[in-house]
Amino acid sequence: MVGAIPQLIELQQVPPAPPFCGRPPAPLLPPHRRPLLPFPRPQTKPLASVLKDVCDAWSLPNAERYALQYADGRQTYITESNRGEIKNGSILRLTTSPDQEAERLYNGIRSNNVDVKTDSLKKLASLSQDVTFAQEFINRNGLKLIFCIVEEGNEPCAAMLAHTLKAFMELMEHDFVSWETLSAAFIKKIVSYVNMNAMDASVQQLSLSILENMVPSSRLLFDLVKKEVTVDRLLTHLQVTNTQLQLKAMALLIALLLAATDAERSTWGTLLTRSLLLNLHDRRMRTPMDPYSQVGETCLHAAFESESEAPTSNFSTERRRSLCAKEFRKLGFMNNSNPAEDLRRAPPGLLALDNMLYFSRHTPNAYSRFVLENSSREDKHECPFARSSIQLTLILCEILHIGEPCSETAQAFYPMFFGQDHFFEELFCICIQLVNKTWKEMRATQEDFDKVLQVVREQITRTLSLKPTSLELFKTRVNALNYSEILKLRQTERLHQEETLAVPVLELRERLKPELLELIRQQRLLRLCEGTLFRKISSRRRQDKLWYCRLSPNHKVLHYGDVEEGVQSPPIESLPEKIPVADMKALLIGKECPHTKEKSSGKQNKDVLELAFSIVYDVEEYRLNFVAPTRYEFCLWTDGLNVLLGKEMTSERTQTDLDVLLSMELKLRLLDLENVSIPDTPPPVPKPPSNLNFCYDFSHAEQ
């Protein structure tokens, strides 16, 4: 947006800080008095002039000692090169300039005061993310100061060392200094932090990150790190419970493997190279099967020949092909006459065939059960094994990013990967059985194939996000996440997307509940004041007498008495019996009521149980017994009596009414009603139409 809306800047007056000050300067004015000044766009005025105007407005001399900085987020300094990125509504603050702050922190780090030194290093780690500040600090030979702290190793606490390493990482990210300038003493010190047993986890994480960045920079640094780092120690880091430490150790392992030659990788053993093992499937994944190759056809026939009902070697070629086509159809190939056609697509290519063979040979019972179970199902309801295996292999390749280069920003780390020599194949064996299970839960047909595989993808992805530590745990969790659970999760997420379950909306719901519950209480009491006609039930269950009960307008007395047939709402004066609300002791419901304990027919007794309630009153604990005419009246009366007794309303109608009122009130509150006048009184009800000719008569249409 240009020109129309002024840019708002929050100016926080910060005086120049004295040297050796370990804490950031405090504002002179409280937060509610910090001025918001317009900073119009487009910004044509030089930044130095803007700073001078602001400092003059605050009577601050030496405007060159100040700078503007974002108040939120990364707190980047505003310069002529990035001022165009300022967005309308951004809040900036006036603070000391980068060169002044760099000088102050440089002196603070050299201080003999431990607190000042620690605070300065902590501030340095935060500000070093800004390129302008980083350049100022490096120009003062600040990196040499950090090198000395690390190489000397006299830091009194782990926190100070962690701040030092964090600041070093942030400064090196800007590429002002080459990694090759690092001394051997500095690198050996960083390696020692990795190899130590008793070392703070945050220091080890930062040390691993530093080594990871060194390795790809030059062959010399790679050789030095490879020589100093013990592989056993890195593998030990993979077995700890600290996920971030595992992730950093894995990142260094991958960096070493990527920079190493084939000969060097082989010397590190199978366990270490397993970190890149998934990408070894890339070649098979990208290799399609040639459907016209005799070798491919022979492989397929040999692979699944055990499924034949009889040996085919003694049959003619045509007879053998016919039997094989029947078996391939049973296995779920789409092209049963030449199943190699199904494997032409790459990815997943031949990797899908490898997975099918692994499943059939290493879990023969599960494989046979899958095939035989589906071959006996009703037509179109069978789950095709081969087609499912091909699609599942593709899904697993996409989820695990097989064939993609290693990412420097990836955060996915699965400890269970290191517990198996054939992780991908074992994962496939679990997931192909999951496909069959989900297929049955969805009662799927061939037309639902894509839907089933979408659900399976979601089941796998959601389970992997839980970071299971072993394949057994993965198997347990993914099987527990059945189709009905997936539907529930989708519904919940849909409500979140519609903001029904967003945190601010939930907070608003909680604030509205007391008010709306009070509204329901008042409605219940009003209903009791109107009264209800009840039927008396004699010992023979004859409902031949009527009586009426109502609450007095002041909510202090219950009036009741017998009435004649046809009387709908008798006046309160005609009801002779009274029960003071103050004498009411308890409310009984259902089986607790004395008039429901008499023997009777099952159905009639069940009906009475659902509508019966009793009031216990007076010191003698007399009981007034009710049988409500409907469930609705039962809910209103039991709620109203609970209100009179000072208890919570417990009927299902209360929750229904509360949900309706909350939904309506939330929608009204969330509407954008700005500049819309809401009348104090409801609009008048329109007059009825002069005729009803607009009604559609179905009887004429049927004739």
Side-chain angles (χ1 to χ4, degrees), residues 549-550 552 556-561 572-581 583-584 617-618 622 624:
C549 186
R550 66 190 305 172
S552 63
K556 292 184 178 181
V557 180
L558 271 177
H559 298 262
Y560 66 97
I572 198 168
E573 297 82 7
S574 65
L575 303 174
E577 305 294 336
K578 299 178 182 179
I579 300 178
V581 172
D583 291 346
M584 290 168 49
Y617 64 97
D618 207 352
Y622 297 117
L624 181 62

Side-chain angles (χ1 to χ4, degrees), residues 134-354:
Q135 191 167 23
E136 292 289 345
F137 187 79
I138 291 173
N139 290 342
R140 285 167 173 73
N141 212 8
L143 276 175
K144 184 177 180 181
L145 199 59
I146 292 179
F147 293 156
C148 291
I149 294 174
V150 175
E151 291 173 7
E152 292 174 3
N154 297 326
E155 52 286 331
C157 63
M160 183 184 294
L161 179 57
H163 295 322
T164 304
L165 297 180
K166 176 67 174 174
F168 171 76
M169 279 290 298
E170 295 295 344
L171 291 169
M172 294 298 290
E173 284 291 329
H174 300 293
D175 291 332
F176 291 133
V177 179
S178 171
W179 288 90
E180 297 181 25
T181 60
L182 302 181
S183 66
F186 179 85
I187 297 174
K188 288 182 179 180
K189 196 69 178 179
I190 298 297
V191 170
S192 70
Y193 297 146
V194 173
N195 292 331
M196 283 183 185
N197 289 323
M199 176 53 65
D200 184 76
S202 61
V203 173
Q204 289 187 325
Q205 290 174 30
L206 289 164
S207 300
L208 288 166
S209 293
I210 292 172
L211 295 177
E212 179 204 348
N213 282 275
M214 288 182 193
V215 168
S217 300
S218 72
R219 182 69 192 183
L220 181 64
L221 287 176
F222 165 77
D223 291 335
L224 185 56
V225 173
K226 181 169 70 72
K227 178 182 177 182
E228 297 293 335
V229 171
T230 61
V231 174
D232 291 339
R233 184 59 186 165
L234 288 178
L235 295 176
T236 301
H237 287 315
L238 293 175
Q239 300 171 12
V240 300
T241 56
N242 188 321
T243 305
Q244 286 300 313
L245 191 57
Q246 290 177 321
L247 191 62
K248 299 300 182 184
M250 174 54 59
L252 178 56
L253 280 171
I254 291 175
L256 287 168
L257 288 168
L258 289 175
T261 62
D262 292 338
E264 288 169 332
R265 290 195 192 107
S266 64
T267 61
W268 285 337
T270 305
L271 183 60
L272 184 58
T273 55
R274 191 181 294 162
S275 58
L276 288 179
L277 191 60
L278 283 180
N279 269 352
L280 298 181
H281 293 294
D282 179 53
R283 183 179 62 82
R284 296 288 286 177
M285 180 187 73
R286 300 188 185 282
T287 304
M289 175 171 278
D290 184 358
Y292 306 108
S293 168
Q294 185 64 36
V295 176
E297 183 180 353
T298 303
C299 287
L300 272 172
H301 285 282
F304 298 105
E305 190 168 358
S306 60
E307 288 300 310
S308 300
E309 295 177 356
T312 59
S313 56
N314 298 327
F315 293 115
S316 64
T317 303
E318 290 300 321
R319 175 63 174 160
R320 185 170 180 271
R321 286 181 179 177
S322 175
L323 288 173
C324 288
K326 178 182 177 182
E327 297 304 319
F328 285 131
R329 182 167 59 252
K330 182 195 298 183
L331 287 170
F333 283 96
M334 297 182 69
N335 191 327
N336 50 61
S337 61
N338 187 4
E341 288 282 354
D342 292 18
L343 297 165
R344 289 187 67 177
R345 185 177 56 161
L350 294 177
L351 185 58
L353 178 61
D354 296 342

Side-chain angles (χ1 to χ4, degrees), residues 671-687:
L671 283 175
D672 185 7
L673 297 178
E674 187 177 357
N675 300 325
V676 177
S677 59
I678 301 177
D680 296 329
T681 58
V685 178
K687 295 180 179 180

Side-chain angles (χ1 to χ4, degrees), residues 430 433-434 437 441 474-482:
I430 294 172
Q433 295 176 74
L434 175 68
K437 174 176 173 288
E441 291 171 352
F474 171 85
K475 181 178 180 180
T476 301
R477 289 181 173 177
V478 79
N479 283 310
L481 192 62
N482 53 37

Side-chain angles (χ1 to χ4, degrees), residues 527-544:
R527 186 69 186 89
L528 266 61
C529 290
E530 293 176 4
T532 301
L533 190 65
F534 297 94
R535 287 190 176 272
K536 286 186 176 182
I537 299 182
S538 64
S539 58
R540 297 183 180 180
R541 303 286 176 180
R542 291 181 58 193
Q543 302 183 15
D544 53 356

